[in-house]
Amino acid sequence: MVEGSTLFGWALPSSKKRVEGAKIAILEKPLEINMGEMVSGMRFKDSKELSRCFHEEEELLRAMVNRLIHVGANVVISMGSIDVRAQGMLTQKGVFITHHYPEYHHLRHLASATGAKFVNDIFSISPDDLGQAELVE
């Protein structure tokens, strides 16, 4: 039985600072969409097409956030970055967020201590992938 585990990282300033009954999602990949790279070589007839492209990007981010919320995650730890728009969406839902976590071996220990599984594809996450902790702060 694990009594406690310490992981040194930083919650985002806008993030919740304390979560009791934590359901922890550990993301191996960034929570972002690089639409800018995709559109850099494209030609648009007008600004409406470009605007539609950015709207689709935001809707995809919203779908990713909603998937995390749907499975019950209230703590999200990402090894990569989290798009600033997704950060806002998550913090509005009261989710504790930390990202750019550099120490993979620490996250392996956290996963082991909490029962979390590393998530490679947000759209395939299930409640079984989430770790649990009495308290995260």
Side-chain angles (χ1 to χ4, degrees), residues 35 39 42-57:
M35 194 70 87
V39 300
M42 299 174 78
R43 293 184 180 263
F44 296 97
K45 293 178 186 173
D46 57 31
S47 62
K48 288 181 184 177
E49 284 185 7
L50 182 60
S51 181
R52 188 172 32 252
C53 186
F54 287 121
H55 176 73
E56 288 175 13
E57 178 183 60

Side-chain angles (χ1 to χ4, degrees), residues 27-121:
L27 308 179
E28 284 190 285
K29 293 187 175 180
L31 178 56
E32 63 184 8
I33 300 158
N34 289 322
M35 194 70 87
E37 292 174 8
M38 292 172 46
V39 300
S40 66
M42 299 174 78
R43 293 184 180 263
F44 296 97
K45 293 178 186 173
D46 57 31
S47 62
K48 288 181 184 177
E49 284 185 7
L50 182 60
S51 181
R52 188 172 32 252
C53 186
F54 287 121
H55 176 73
E56 288 175 13
E57 178 183 60
E58 190 160 331
E59 287 305 310
L60 186 53
L61 282 170
R62 189 175 317 285
M64 292 172 157
V65 167
N66 287 340
R67 182 66 191 158
L68 288 166
I69 300 301
H70 178 74
V71 298
N74 56 10
V75 174
V76 174
I77 300 171
S78 178
M79 293 175 67
S81 62
I82 298 177
D83 185 282
V84 68
R85 294 166 294 176
Q87 291 175 22
M89 293 173 204
L90 287 164
T91 57
Q92 283 180 342
K93 300 285 186 178
V95 176
F96 178 100
I97 309 165
T98 184
H99 67 135
H100 289 298
Y101 201 83
E103 301 294 333
Y104 181 76
H105 65 281
H106 287 176
L107 290 179
R108 280 197 345 252
H109 292 299
L110 177 67
S112 177
T114 63
K117 297 176 186 161
F118 285 91
V119 176
N120 205 0
D121 176 15

